[in-house]
Amino acid sequence: MKTIDELLAEGVKGKRVFVRADLNVPFAKGTTTITDDGRIRAVRPTVAKLAEAGARVVVASHLGRPKGTGAEPEFSLAPAAARLGELLGTEVAFATDTVGASAKETVAALTDGQVAVLENLRFNAGETSKDDAERAAFADQLAELADVYVGDGFGAVHRKHASVFDLPARLPHAAGYLIATEVGVLKKLTAEVERPYVVVLGGAKVSDKLAVIDELLGKADRILIGGGMAYTFLKAQGHEVGISLLQEDRIPVVTEYMKRAEQTGVELVLPVDVLVSADFPDLKTKAPADFTTVAADAIPADQEGLDIGPKTRELYASKIADAKTVFWNGPVGVFEHPDYAGGTTAIAQALVDSDAFTVVGGGDSAAAVRILGFDENAFGHISTGGGASLEYLEGKTLPGLAALEG
């Protein structure tokens, strides 16, 4: 995989460099206020270095899941472009379309060292199309806007999309600083692991994590389970889980994984107590919640588990304490509500207190550590791509990385 430093050594002055970034940031509901600019900050080094070298930088990204039938204002990248400009300390031009008149005019007007952002790539159906010809046609249009391609949107490399997979084949290409960093970190979680290797998996659905559990059963020393997915494991053990999140159709495979963990010597650790309530919390007002703490095998039939309990927090912290490598993906409770943020806070603090190489695996976990006020520098690495990280750990070939290696 060619690096951006090799590209810079060849010279990019005056060249139009297309940077496929990941500016898919969250907004406060119903507003254009960015609540977490981590992904924009993550691509800044690549964009800044190219601009300093005299490139004419064309930044492109997706945002959300628009229908692909044209512009949808709530998914506009304009706020992200403005924030990128603030981080760069310079004006960033914004094209109001992806490959139309505005994009062509905006790119043509760039001078050496200037930066532009295109509108949301997913406003064009060709970006995400499963039809190779339609995707290729859109990639051809994007290629007309650039001389060189730099892939730096790690959060999208597991998608076979036009700007991620097809476009690099049409231009000289290299990996940006973010992707190089992410791949280096993932190698430390797969090929170059220091042990004990502890994995913390949370989130709502166990189905989202089954493939990575399958892979990690042969690689991790301990797997700690939390979040909504934990209740499928508890149910598989024969426990009542009340009205907690449950995927009954996954109980057979979860049961098999628990048996495999025992056979292979992998310590699979489940909650011993949970916070339960009959009412899901009001996440908008964050009004005080009515909850009780019960043993994990004593959840009332009319209650829902919403966070790991204090004994589980202590247990999990002890399982992390002697680790040399820790990977965490998925909050272990409804952290958006202060009464159910204790478990996720405890996991984050355990990582901070550990001497291990700690990786926060993107998505909600990355958002949680920022929302809960943790110093990002206290972790070994905070990934920008939860889905991409998981698929890499599952052993899958990621289309965006394969394209950059080609």
Side-chain angles (χ1 to χ4, degrees):
M1 189 183 295
K2 188 174 185 177
T3 68
I4 188 173
D5 286 330
E6 291 175 290
L7 180 67
L8 290 165
E10 295 171 359
V12 293
K13 184 175 175 60
K15 292 183 179 179
R16 300 169 301 164
V17 180
F18 187 105
V19 177
R20 194 353 173 145
D22 178 9
L23 308 180
N24 186 27
V25 292
F27 297 105
K29 193 169 184 179
T31 75
T32 57
T33 301
I34 297 170
T35 56
D36 181 0
D37 67 355
R39 284 175 169 164
I40 304 175
R41 286 185 286 112
V43 79
R44 182 198 172 280
T46 290
V47 175
K49 197 74 172 180
L50 288 166
E52 288 168 12
R56 302 177 184 193
V57 187
V58 182
V59 181
S61 176
H62 69 286
L63 177 71
R65 296 179 181 274
K67 298 180 181 69
T69 54
E72 297 178 47
E74 66 269 35
F75 294 115
S76 175
L77 276 171
R83 180 59 181 147
L84 178 61
E86 291 172 359
L87 293 169
L88 291 170
T90 187
E91 185 177 348
V92 168
F94 182 68
T96 57
D97 56 30
T98 54
V99 291
S102 178
K104 291 173 183 175
E105 290 168 11
T106 301
V107 173
L110 289 175
T111 58
D112 294 0
Q114 289 189 326
V115 180
V117 174
L118 304 181
E119 186 52 285
N120 193 336
L121 291 164
R122 291 186 181 176
F123 286 172
N124 189 305
E127 169 67 0
T128 59
S129 177
K130 288 182 169 53
D131 181 89
D132 291 348
E134 184 178 13
R135 220 175 47 248
F138 184 49
D140 287 340
Q141 290 178 293
L142 291 172
E144 292 175 8
L145 300 173
D147 306 303
V148 180
Y149 177 94
V150 171
D152 214 30
F154 180 73
V157 293
H158 58 314
R159 306 295 187 193
K160 192 176 181 180
H161 291 170
S163 66
V164 176
F165 178 74
D166 302 271
L167 185 55
R170 289 158 170 75
L171 297 168
H173 51 268
Y177 291 120
L178 174 60
I179 280 187
T181 298
E182 295 272 14
V183 171
V185 165
L186 288 168
K187 284 182 179 176
K188 288 186 178 182
L189 298 177
T190 50
E192 304 160 6
V193 183
E194 283 195 63
R195 299 182 180 280
Y197 178 20
V198 178
V199 176
V200 185
L201 295 176
K205 295 181 178 180
V206 70
S207 56
D208 293 341
K209 303 293 196 302
L210 286 177
V212 76
I213 293 172
D214 184 33
E215 188 70 17
L216 289 170
L217 280 173
K219 293 177 178 170
D221 296 299
R222 298 177 199 134
I223 301 176
L224 318 182
I225 303 292
M229 62 181 285
Y231 302 100
T232 301
F233 281 86
L234 292 172
K235 187 72 171 180
Q237 288 185 322
H239 302 314
E240 171 66 60
V241 297
I243 57 172
S244 305
L245 283 173
L246 175 65
Q247 290 185 281
E248 288 201 58
D249 61 324
R250 306 299 170 139
I251 289 176
V253 69
V254 163
T255 302
E256 182 208 333
Y257 285 177
M258 289 192 291
K259 288 178 182 174
R260 274 179 54 199
E262 191 173 350
Q263 291 165 356
T264 57
V266 176
E267 194 177 355
L268 188 63
V269 189
L270 300 178
V272 294
D273 62 343
V274 295
L275 272 55
V276 298
S277 175
D279 298 307
F280 192 80
D282 186 337
L283 298 179
K284 190 179 292 183
T285 66
K286 303 198 171 38
D290 180 20
F291 65 87
T292 55
T293 302
V294 301
D297 60 358
I299 298 174
D302 62 346
Q303 304 276 303
E304 177 178 12
L306 295 166
D307 195 12
I308 59 172
K311 290 181 180 177
T312 305
R313 296 169 199 174
E314 290 181 15
L315 172 65
Y316 284 12
S318 72
K319 297 295 183 182
I320 291 169
D322 68 341
K324 294 296 183 187
T325 305
V326 183
F327 173 72
W328 171 32
N329 182 282
V332 296
V334 186
F335 75 91
E336 298 90 343
H337 191 284
D339 288 331
Y340 302 115
T344 300
T345 300
I347 295 297
Q349 189 62 54
L351 266 67
V352 170
D353 293 341
S354 169
D355 292 329
F357 175 62
T358 56
V359 180
V360 180
D364 288 339
S365 312
V369 298
R370 296 184 182 112
I371 290 168
L372 296 172
F374 285 89
D375 180 358
E376 293 180 44
N377 295 320
F379 302 91
H381 179 70
I382 298 180
S383 179
T384 57
S389 294
L390 286 177
E391 291 200 14
Y392 189 100
L393 293 180
E394 289 166 18
K396 291 183 179 178
T397 297
L398 306 188
L401 297 184
L404 290 174
E405 290 165 353

